[in-house]
Amino acid sequence: MALPMGSIVTVCMAMGVVFANRLPAGALNTRTPRVLLKIVGSVCLAAGLWNVLWFASRHITQFWGQMALGSGLVLCAVGLLMVLPPQRVPQSLEAGRPFLVLLLACFAGFYGWTIYNL
């Protein structure tokens, strides 16, 4: 039985959006224990690496291969934001956090909408 990797990656993207944002009303990353953030970040990083290194590298000429490359790179960046200690996060990556979270939310929404319509 094959795992529904599209659904798994979509859930990982949604978790990344929920735990990496810094919005005042929903900023779970300020109230969540650091160990849980590292676990969620590690899962996001693993899913992003799978998307880039396995799926995108095999299907780069197709639409979903290109989507996997884009979403995988963003998922890896968001995962690094959660895995690295706050003082070790590069300033450019921290400055891009709002854009990365918004972009990841768009990817997750598109993936989810596509899976729903299958």
Side-chain angles (χ1 to χ4, degrees), residues 49-71:
L49 288 172
W50 180 87
N51 240 8
V52 170
L53 298 176
W54 193 85
F55 193 84
S57 66
R58 292 172 161 223
H59 305 282
I60 196 66
T61 60
Q62 300 169 355
F63 174 75
W64 283 108
Q66 295 163 6
M67 287 291 287
L69 179 63
S71 64

PDB file of all heavy atoms in Angstrom, residues 49-71:
ATOM      1  N   LEU A  49      12.207  18.125   2.409  1.00  0.00           N
ATOM      2  CA  LEU A  49      13.310  17.429   1.746  1.00  0.00           C
ATOM      3  C   LEU A  49      12.807  16.305   0.858  1.00  0.00           C
ATOM      4  O   LEU A  49      13.318  16.096  -0.244  1.00  0.00           O
ATOM      5  CB  LEU A  49      14.307  16.898   2.781  1.00  0.00           C
ATOM      6  CG  LEU A  49      15.160  17.952   3.467  1.00  0.00           C
ATOM      7  CD1 LEU A  49      15.975  17.339   4.600  1.00  0.00           C
ATOM      8  CD2 LEU A  49      16.068  18.648   2.469  1.00  0.00           C
ATOM      9  N   TRP A  50      11.787  15.586   1.320  1.00  0.00           N
ATOM     10  CA  TRP A  50      11.200  14.536   0.483  1.00  0.00           C
ATOM     11  C   TRP A  50      10.635  15.161  -0.791  1.00  0.00           C
ATOM     12  O   TRP A  50      10.835  14.635  -1.883  1.00  0.00           O
ATOM     13  CB  TRP A  50      10.087  13.781   1.227  1.00  0.00           C
ATOM     14  CG  TRP A  50       9.485  12.718   0.361  1.00  0.00           C
ATOM     15  CD1 TRP A  50       9.924  11.442   0.225  1.00  0.00           C
ATOM     16  CD2 TRP A  50       8.373  12.841  -0.531  1.00  0.00           C
ATOM     17  NE1 TRP A  50       9.152  10.760  -0.690  1.00  0.00           N
ATOM     18  CE2 TRP A  50       8.186  11.605  -1.165  1.00  0.00           C
ATOM     19  CE3 TRP A  50       7.509  13.886  -0.846  1.00  0.00           C
ATOM     20  CZ2 TRP A  50       7.181  11.381  -2.095  1.00  0.00           C
ATOM     21  CZ3 TRP A  50       6.508  13.662  -1.775  1.00  0.00           C
ATOM     22  CH2 TRP A  50       6.354  12.416  -2.386  1.00  0.00           C
ATOM     23  N   ASN A  51       9.932  16.283  -0.643  1.00  0.00           N
ATOM     24  CA  ASN A  51       9.331  16.952  -1.794  1.00  0.00           C
ATOM     25  C   ASN A  51      10.394  17.370  -2.812  1.00  0.00           C
ATOM     26  O   ASN A  51      10.213  17.177  -4.010  1.00  0.00           O
ATOM     27  CB  ASN A  51       8.560  18.193  -1.323  1.00  0.00           C
ATOM     28  CG  ASN A  51       7.098  18.144  -1.653  1.00  0.00           C
ATOM     29  OD1 ASN A  51       6.586  17.137  -2.115  1.00  0.00           O
ATOM     30  ND2 ASN A  51       6.416  19.234  -1.399  1.00  0.00           N
ATOM     31  N   VAL A  52      11.488  17.941  -2.324  1.00  0.00           N
ATOM     32  CA  VAL A  52      12.528  18.447  -3.218  1.00  0.00           C
ATOM     33  C   VAL A  52      13.393  17.325  -3.775  1.00  0.00           C
ATOM     34  O   VAL A  52      13.599  17.229  -4.986  1.00  0.00           O
ATOM     35  CB  VAL A  52      13.414  19.482  -2.485  1.00  0.00           C
ATOM     36  CG1 VAL A  52      14.632  19.846  -3.312  1.00  0.00           C
ATOM     37  CG2 VAL A  52      12.609  20.722  -2.150  1.00  0.00           C
ATOM     38  N   LEU A  53      13.910  16.479  -2.883  1.00  0.00           N
ATOM     39  CA  LEU A  53      14.912  15.496  -3.308  1.00  0.00           C
ATOM     40  C   LEU A  53      14.333  14.254  -3.966  1.00  0.00           C
ATOM     41  O   LEU A  53      15.005  13.629  -4.791  1.00  0.00           O
ATOM     42  CB  LEU A  53      15.774  15.084  -2.104  1.00  0.00           C
ATOM     43  CG  LEU A  53      16.571  16.215  -1.464  1.00  0.00           C
ATOM     44  CD1 LEU A  53      17.302  15.705  -0.235  1.00  0.00           C
ATOM     45  CD2 LEU A  53      17.526  16.840  -2.459  1.00  0.00           C
ATOM     46  N   TRP A  54      13.121  13.872  -3.615  1.00  0.00           N
ATOM     47  CA  TRP A  54      12.578  12.655  -4.211  1.00  0.00           C
ATOM     48  C   TRP A  54      11.550  12.973  -5.288  1.00  0.00           C
ATOM     49  O   TRP A  54      11.720  12.594  -6.425  1.00  0.00           O
ATOM     50  CB  TRP A  54      11.968  11.738  -3.148  1.00  0.00           C
ATOM     51  CG  TRP A  54      11.697  10.371  -3.697  1.00  0.00           C
ATOM     52  CD1 TRP A  54      12.579   9.340  -3.773  1.00  0.00           C
ATOM     53  CD2 TRP A  54      10.487   9.905  -4.281  1.00  0.00           C
ATOM     54  NE1 TRP A  54      11.996   8.253  -4.365  1.00  0.00           N
ATOM     55  CE2 TRP A  54      10.701   8.567  -4.689  1.00  0.00           C
ATOM     56  CE3 TRP A  54       9.258  10.476  -4.507  1.00  0.00           C
ATOM     57  CZ2 TRP A  54       9.718   7.809  -5.303  1.00  0.00           C
ATOM     58  CZ3 TRP A  54       8.272   9.717  -5.117  1.00  0.00           C
ATOM     59  CH2 TRP A  54       8.513   8.390  -5.505  1.00  0.00           C
ATOM     60  N   PHE A  55      10.482  13.685  -4.945  1.00  0.00           N
ATOM     61  CA  PHE A  55       9.415  13.882  -5.917  1.00  0.00           C
ATOM     62  C   PHE A  55       9.794  14.883  -7.005  1.00  0.00           C
ATOM     63  O   PHE A  55       9.657  14.593  -8.190  1.00  0.00           O
ATOM     64  CB  PHE A  55       8.103  14.311  -5.241  1.00  0.00           C
ATOM     65  CG  PHE A  55       6.935  14.226  -6.174  1.00  0.00           C
ATOM     66  CD1 PHE A  55       6.270  13.024  -6.350  1.00  0.00           C
ATOM     67  CD2 PHE A  55       6.529  15.320  -6.907  1.00  0.00           C
ATOM     68  CE1 PHE A  55       5.208  12.929  -7.238  1.00  0.00           C
ATOM     69  CE2 PHE A  55       5.473  15.234  -7.797  1.00  0.00           C
ATOM     70  CZ  PHE A  55       4.813  14.038  -7.961  1.00  0.00           C
ATOM     71  N   ALA A  56      10.271  16.053  -6.611  1.00  0.00           N
ATOM     72  CA  ALA A  56      10.590  17.081  -7.611  1.00  0.00           C
ATOM     73  C   ALA A  56      11.715  16.637  -8.536  1.00  0.00           C
ATOM     74  O   ALA A  56      11.671  16.905  -9.735  1.00  0.00           O
ATOM     75  CB  ALA A  56      10.960  18.388  -6.922  1.00  0.00           C
ATOM     76  N   SER A  57      12.707  15.943  -7.988  1.00  0.00           N
ATOM     77  CA  SER A  57      13.827  15.523  -8.826  1.00  0.00           C
ATOM     78  C   SER A  57      13.410  14.489  -9.876  1.00  0.00           C
ATOM     79  O   SER A  57      14.031  14.391 -10.924  1.00  0.00           O
ATOM     80  CB  SER A  57      14.954  14.959  -7.964  1.00  0.00           C
ATOM     81  OG  SER A  57      14.546  13.765  -7.328  1.00  0.00           O
ATOM     82  N   ARG A  58      12.345  13.763  -9.618  1.00  0.00           N
ATOM     83  CA  ARG A  58      11.865  12.765 -10.574  1.00  0.00           C
ATOM     84  C   ARG A  58      10.847  13.326 -11.559  1.00  0.00           C
ATOM     85  O   ARG A  58      10.632  12.738 -12.620  1.00  0.00           O
ATOM     86  CB  ARG A  58      11.214  11.601  -9.835  1.00  0.00           C
ATOM     87  CG  ARG A  58      12.189  10.792  -9.045  1.00  0.00           C
ATOM     88  CD  ARG A  58      11.460   9.783  -8.194  1.00  0.00           C
ATOM     89  NE  ARG A  58      12.397   8.762  -7.810  1.00  0.00           N
ATOM     90  CZ  ARG A  58      12.130   7.466  -7.828  1.00  0.00           C
ATOM     91  NH1 ARG A  58      10.936   7.056  -8.169  1.00  0.00           N
ATOM     92  NH2 ARG A  58      13.043   6.610  -7.467  1.00  0.00           N
ATOM     93  N   HIS A  59      10.184  14.431 -11.206  1.00  0.00           N
ATOM     94  CA  HIS A  59       9.090  14.946 -12.030  1.00  0.00           C
ATOM     95  C   HIS A  59       9.243  16.439 -12.320  1.00  0.00           C
ATOM     96  O   HIS A  59       8.243  17.143 -12.457  1.00  0.00           O
ATOM     97  CB  HIS A  59       7.754  14.714 -11.304  1.00  0.00           C
ATOM     98  CG  HIS A  59       7.512  13.300 -10.918  1.00  0.00           C
ATOM     99  ND1 HIS A  59       7.097  12.341 -11.814  1.00  0.00           N
ATOM    100  CD2 HIS A  59       7.654  12.660  -9.739  1.00  0.00           C
ATOM    101  CE1 HIS A  59       6.972  11.177 -11.193  1.00  0.00           C
ATOM    102  NE2 HIS A  59       7.311  11.348  -9.931  1.00  0.00           N
ATOM    103  N   ILE A  60      10.459  16.932 -12.427  1.00  0.00           N
ATOM    104  CA  ILE A  60      10.696  18.365 -12.541  1.00  0.00           C
ATOM    105  C   ILE A  60      10.109  18.965 -13.817  1.00  0.00           C
ATOM    106  O   ILE A  60       9.799  20.156 -13.849  1.00  0.00           O
ATOM    107  CB  ILE A  60      12.201  18.699 -12.399  1.00  0.00           C
ATOM    108  CG1 ILE A  60      12.399  20.197 -12.132  1.00  0.00           C
ATOM    109  CG2 ILE A  60      12.979  18.259 -13.627  1.00  0.00           C
ATOM    110  CD1 ILE A  60      11.853  20.658 -10.827  1.00  0.00           C
ATOM    111  N   THR A  61       9.906  18.192 -14.846  1.00  0.00           N
ATOM    112  CA  THR A  61       9.341  18.729 -16.089  1.00  0.00           C
ATOM    113  C   THR A  61       7.817  18.803 -16.053  1.00  0.00           C
ATOM    114  O   THR A  61       7.217  19.379 -16.953  1.00  0.00           O
ATOM    115  CB  THR A  61       9.761  17.874 -17.301  1.00  0.00           C
ATOM    116  OG1 THR A  61       9.294  16.541 -17.115  1.00  0.00           O
ATOM    117  CG2 THR A  61      11.273  17.885 -17.473  1.00  0.00           C
ATOM    118  N   GLN A  62       7.208  18.247 -15.019  1.00  0.00           N
ATOM    119  CA  GLN A  62       5.747  18.268 -14.894  1.00  0.00           C
ATOM    120  C   GLN A  62       5.323  19.339 -13.902  1.00  0.00           C
ATOM    121  O   GLN A  62       6.095  19.775 -13.047  1.00  0.00           O
ATOM    122  CB  GLN A  62       5.242  16.901 -14.430  1.00  0.00           C
ATOM    123  CG  GLN A  62       5.595  15.775 -15.374  1.00  0.00           C
ATOM    124  CD  GLN A  62       5.322  14.418 -14.749  1.00  0.00           C
ATOM    125  OE1 GLN A  62       4.956  14.325 -13.585  1.00  0.00           O
ATOM    126  NE2 GLN A  62       5.526  13.378 -15.531  1.00  0.00           N
ATOM    127  N   PHE A  63       4.054  19.745 -13.990  1.00  0.00           N
ATOM    128  CA  PHE A  63       3.523  20.783 -13.110  1.00  0.00           C
ATOM    129  C   PHE A  63       3.695  20.426 -11.644  1.00  0.00           C
ATOM    130  O   PHE A  63       4.161  21.245 -10.845  1.00  0.00           O
ATOM    131  CB  PHE A  63       2.044  21.023 -13.429  1.00  0.00           C
ATOM    132  CG  PHE A  63       1.381  21.965 -12.468  1.00  0.00           C
ATOM    133  CD1 PHE A  63       1.628  23.324 -12.555  1.00  0.00           C
ATOM    134  CD2 PHE A  63       0.529  21.505 -11.491  1.00  0.00           C
ATOM    135  CE1 PHE A  63       1.035  24.206 -11.672  1.00  0.00           C
ATOM    136  CE2 PHE A  63      -0.066  22.381 -10.596  1.00  0.00           C
ATOM    137  CZ  PHE A  63       0.183  23.738 -10.693  1.00  0.00           C
ATOM    138  N   TRP A  64       3.329  19.188 -11.253  1.00  0.00           N
ATOM    139  CA  TRP A  64       3.405  18.832  -9.836  1.00  0.00           C
ATOM    140  C   TRP A  64       4.839  18.664  -9.349  1.00  0.00           C
ATOM    141  O   TRP A  64       5.132  18.832  -8.180  1.00  0.00           O
ATOM    142  CB  TRP A  64       2.563  17.592  -9.520  1.00  0.00           C
ATOM    143  CG  TRP A  64       1.127  17.980  -9.471  1.00  0.00           C
ATOM    144  CD1 TRP A  64       0.155  17.681 -10.379  1.00  0.00           C
ATOM    145  CD2 TRP A  64       0.495  18.808  -8.485  1.00  0.00           C
ATOM    146  NE1 TRP A  64      -1.039  18.270 -10.019  1.00  0.00           N
ATOM    147  CE2 TRP A  64      -0.861  18.960  -8.851  1.00  0.00           C
ATOM    148  CE3 TRP A  64       0.932  19.442  -7.335  1.00  0.00           C
ATOM    149  CZ2 TRP A  64      -1.763  19.714  -8.117  1.00  0.00           C
ATOM    150  CZ3 TRP A  64       0.030  20.190  -6.592  1.00  0.00           C
ATOM    151  CH2 TRP A  64      -1.294  20.312  -6.988  1.00  0.00           C
ATOM    152  N   GLY A  65       5.751  18.370 -10.243  1.00  0.00           N
ATOM    153  CA  GLY A  65       7.160  18.352  -9.874  1.00  0.00           C
ATOM    154  C   GLY A  65       7.663  19.752  -9.555  1.00  0.00           C
ATOM    155  O   GLY A  65       8.416  19.954  -8.596  1.00  0.00           O
ATOM    156  N   GLN A  66       7.224  20.723 -10.345  1.00  0.00           N
ATOM    157  CA  GLN A  66       7.609  22.110 -10.090  1.00  0.00           C
ATOM    158  C   GLN A  66       6.942  22.641  -8.820  1.00  0.00           C
ATOM    159  O   GLN A  66       7.550  23.385  -8.052  1.00  0.00           O
ATOM    160  CB  GLN A  66       7.271  22.967 -11.304  1.00  0.00           C
ATOM    161  CG  GLN A  66       8.094  22.570 -12.504  1.00  0.00           C
ATOM    162  CD  GLN A  66       7.542  23.087 -13.823  1.00  0.00           C
ATOM    163  OE1 GLN A  66       6.585  23.842 -13.851  1.00  0.00           O
ATOM    164  NE2 GLN A  66       8.149  22.658 -14.907  1.00  0.00           N
ATOM    165  N   MET A  67       5.692  22.252  -8.590  1.00  0.00           N
ATOM    166  CA  MET A  67       5.015  22.625  -7.347  1.00  0.00           C
ATOM    167  C   MET A  67       5.723  21.993  -6.149  1.00  0.00           C
ATOM    168  O   MET A  67       5.863  22.625  -5.103  1.00  0.00           O
ATOM    169  CB  MET A  67       3.549  22.185  -7.380  1.00  0.00           C
ATOM    170  CG  MET A  67       2.677  23.007  -8.286  1.00  0.00           C
ATOM    171  SD  MET A  67       2.420  24.676  -7.690  1.00  0.00           S
ATOM    172  CE  MET A  67       1.318  24.379  -6.327  1.00  0.00           C
ATOM    173  N   ALA A  68       6.165  20.748  -6.293  1.00  0.00           N
ATOM    174  CA  ALA A  68       6.877  20.068  -5.209  1.00  0.00           C
ATOM    175  C   ALA A  68       8.198  20.766  -4.912  1.00  0.00           C
ATOM    176  O   ALA A  68       8.594  20.887  -3.748  1.00  0.00           O
ATOM    177  CB  ALA A  68       7.117  18.603  -5.566  1.00  0.00           C
ATOM    178  N   LEU A  69       8.870  21.241  -5.937  1.00  0.00           N
ATOM    179  CA  LEU A  69      10.128  21.958  -5.735  1.00  0.00           C
ATOM    180  C   LEU A  69       9.882  23.250  -4.957  1.00  0.00           C
ATOM    181  O   LEU A  69      10.545  23.523  -3.948  1.00  0.00           O
ATOM    182  CB  LEU A  69      10.801  22.259  -7.076  1.00  0.00           C
ATOM    183  CG  LEU A  69      12.115  23.031  -7.006  1.00  0.00           C
ATOM    184  CD1 LEU A  69      13.172  22.237  -6.260  1.00  0.00           C
ATOM    185  CD2 LEU A  69      12.600  23.382  -8.400  1.00  0.00           C
ATOM    186  N   GLY A  70       8.921  24.038  -5.401  1.00  0.00           N
ATOM    187  CA  GLY A  70       8.623  25.307  -4.732  1.00  0.00           C
ATOM    188  C   GLY A  70       8.137  25.110  -3.306  1.00  0.00           C
ATOM    189  O   GLY A  70       8.652  25.715  -2.359  1.00  0.00           O
ATOM    190  N   SER A  71       7.151  24.233  -3.140  1.00  0.00           N
ATOM    191  CA  SER A  71       6.599  24.024  -1.799  1.00  0.00           C
ATOM    192  C   SER A  71       7.613  23.346  -0.882  1.00  0.00           C
ATOM    193  O   SER A  71       7.665  23.639   0.312  1.00  0.00           O
ATOM    194  CB  SER A  71       5.311  23.202  -1.866  1.00  0.00           C
ATOM    195  OG  SER A  71       5.552  21.901  -2.358  1.00  0.00           O
TER     196      SER A  71
END
